[in-house]
Amino acid sequence: MSLDSRLQSCHQRRHELEEYMEQALEELEKELAEANQTNAALLESFKSKEEYIQELEKKNWQLRQGLQTADTSVQPDYEATRDRTLNKLKVGKQSTAGKAIDAFIKELKHGL
């Protein structure tokens, strides 16, 4: 093979490689654009889920606060109940029944 034919063959091969590289680069650019779109969509989805979780946490906190408030505001008046019961029994606070009721109330309050 002559030097000219080898040189022409090398130029042809170089041209083919350049075309192949250009096509590969275009494909990679398309894949990168698609990956960027997918990434943007996933990021948006993540942000919306994160906002949803934050909203749920806020509602959970509000419900817990409401529950704590309800617990403290709904407690019965044990002393008034004790006094009414002792009056019905016609006994005083120093009686055995009065002391037993006081001990019971103490246990109830201790459990809270």
Side-chain angles (χ1 to χ4, degrees):
M1 190 180 250
S2 72
L3 184 61
D4 285 337
S5 63
R6 283 197 290 176
L7 186 60
Q8 187 177 6
S9 175
C10 286
H11 283 298
Q12 180 65 28
R13 181 71 180 139
R14 180 180 171 203
H15 180 70
E16 290 171 358
L17 287 172
E18 285 175 350
E19 285 181 359
Y20 174 79
M21 288 175 59
E22 284 179 21
Q23 288 176 350
L25 181 61
E26 287 175 9
E27 289 177 16
L28 287 173
E29 287 174 345
K30 287 178 185 177
E31 288 179 21
L32 179 61
E34 290 173 3
N36 284 337
Q37 287 176 344
T38 302
N39 187 35
L42 289 172
L43 184 60
E44 186 63 33
S45 173
F46 175 77
K47 285 181 181 178
S48 67
K49 287 178 182 175
E50 189 175 57
E51 290 170 359
Y52 179 69
I53 289 171
Q54 288 174 350
E55 186 65 30
L56 287 177
E57 287 174 345
K58 181 180 176 183
K59 287 180 182 178
N60 188 19
W61 182 82
Q62 289 171 342
L63 288 172
R64 287 181 186 270
Q65 290 298 110
L67 182 60
Q68 288 176 355
T69 303
D71 281 347
T72 58
S73 65
V74 178
Q75 287 196 1
D77 185 2
Y78 296 118
E79 285 76 15
T81 304
R82 175 200 60 210
D83 293 342
R84 283 193 310 276
T85 303
L86 292 175
N87 283 335
K88 288 179 184 178
L89 295 172
K90 298 185 192 287
V91 293
K93 292 180 188 177
Q94 297 302 317
S95 69
T96 305
K99 290 179 182 179
I101 292 174
D102 282 339
F104 182 71
I105 290 172
K106 185 177 179 182
E107 283 297 315
L108 284 176
K109 286 183 177 179
H110 179 71
L112 300 175

